[in-house]
Amino acid sequence: MPSMPPEPFRIKMVEPLKKTMRAEREKFLSQAGYNLFQVRAEDVYIDLLTDSGTSAMSNHQWAALMHGDESYAGARSFYHLKNVIDDIFGFRHFVPTHQGRAAENILAGLLVKPGDSIPNNSHFDTTGANIRAAGGNPVDLVISEAHDPELRHPFKGNMDVQKLEQFIQETDVDHIPFGMITVTNNAGGGQPVSMENIKAVAEVYRRHSIPFFIDACRYAENAYFIQQREDGYSDRSIKSIAQEMFSLADGCTMSAKKDGLVNIGGLLCTNDAVLFERIKQALILREGFPTYGGLAGRDLEALAVGLGEAIDAEYLAYRIAQTAYLGDGLRSVGVPIVEPPGGHAVYIDAGAFLPQIPLDEFPGQALAIEIYLQGGIRAVELGSVAFAYVDAHTGVTIHPPLELVRLAIPRRVYTQSHLDFVIETLKEIVARKDLLRGVRIVEQPELLRHFTAEFALI
Ligand code: P71
């Protein structure tokens, strides 16, 4: 098995994990309607549901919490955060939000009209849902290489610039209120976007006067991939790469629960002073005063420190090596994954792994269920449950290009031996994967069904 660098931290506080028996897990899961979002976290042994808001904070962040200024307006903590954002992101204006989807909601609510389209490499679920909720149409224009799980491409999150140009030609630009790119591309295997591609996309948007917003959740991991893989960047610091990325855009949304290394928080940044005034009004209506945006002063302090720690080169080298280690381990026991392993997660190609289960019996969900039953490990389905939709015109169900199960690695939380346990569990599943059956949906809501739908085993 490949080696990885030792964790660049030592552990000062521990949180015990509970091991359960398979029979108990069967009971928990049936009580949860076979939806892993409905399982209690304490009944999970290793929780790889998400890397969002699940990071371990550093001693510096915990100390910063005590400096939180809880003033309603103009808190010192806001200005601490502002200094960091001015330095790394460089956008002229920003507001904190309670998480990423609050920033998306405000942006889509202000700019998207019914019938509008928003291009992206791949919209993540909440981004797409917020655009749809405003009557808009999220459009995914990732390069076609992204749809071939086995293909190794250094920047598989890139947007297809020609497709973007063509889409804009065919659509009235008045119906494209802004365009996006997601770094790294979470819906497409956690794959990075190259600087060259961000530049090309920015140029197209600029030429058509379409404001360009980066979905910046995992910008630090993306910047690390640029440093490692793109010509001309090996000598550049992560911060200077991030600064260059953001200099190409007009604004960004960010769930700080990822590369902000905090448990809650988000950002909405823009260079547009007029838009910023409208953002502040919308924020005051729904989230809070613009100097706290729905967060506590201490949250702002933890984020100011976390943003700095997440661009540390040694931390990022360990972080990305951890993901690669899990990916290499899974591949070596015969599990097909999206190649190469992504930044924050390894994505199992559940469609290829369980070819006996048709897409309308949700192979991804079936695999996520089995991973929990076998090892008490919680993964998330990112396939037909999360992303399939019924075409409004034809009534036909459109399945996403890939049927995936994601094992997301929380930042600074699990060690190499936890990952070895995950690999061991998948090895056991490989041995009897042909026996696995699909699931059907018993109950589901209209939007974002994966969070609350109920399933039954077939
Ligand atoms: C992730 C999440 C959180 C999540 C979402 C759905 C199911 C399970 C977990 C959130 C993102 C994201 C991107 C690229 C915006 C958001 C929303 N990701 N853009 O991957 O990945 O941010 O959660 O702070 O509202 O597990 P928010």
Side-chain angles (χ1 to χ4, degrees), residues 21 48 63 76 119 124 129 133 163 236 287 290 318 407 414:
M21 304 297 289
L48 307 184
R76 189 178 58 235
F124 197 59
K163 266 196 243 165
R236 293 271 301 274
E287 295 277 317
Y318 142 78
L407 300 167
Y414 293 114

Side-chain angles (χ1 to χ4, degrees), residues 5 27-28 35 44 46 60 118 142 144 151 173 239 248 265 270-272 294 304 376 393 406:
K27 189 184 77 190
F28 298 143
N35 184 331
V44 175
I46 295 180
H60 299 294
I118 312 297
V142 72
S144 55
L151 186 83
V173 280
K239 184 159 96 178
L248 298 165
T270 176
N271 284 333
D272 180 338
H393 299 297
R406 185 186 72 177

Side-chain angles (χ1 to χ4, degrees), residues 176-197:
I176 309 179
F178 62 96
M180 299 187 79
I181 201 162
T182 304
V183 297
T184 58
N185 189 23
N186 189 19
Q191 300 291 329
V193 182
S194 71
M195 188 73 83
E196 187 186 21
N197 189 252

Side-chain angles (χ1 to χ4, degrees), residues 22 44 94 100 140 211 231 273 342 440:
R22 183 166 175 126
V44 175
F94 91 98
D140 291 349
D231 283 348
R440 62 189 167 82

Side-chain angles (χ1 to χ4, degrees), residues 45 107 145 193 196 385:
Y45 180 47
L107 194 65
E145 286 89 334
V193 182
E196 187 186 21
V385 178

Side-chain angles (χ1 to χ4, degrees), residues 305-316:
V305 177
L307 284 168
E309 293 181 358
I311 55 173
D312 178 80
E314 199 184 335
Y315 154 76
L316 280 169

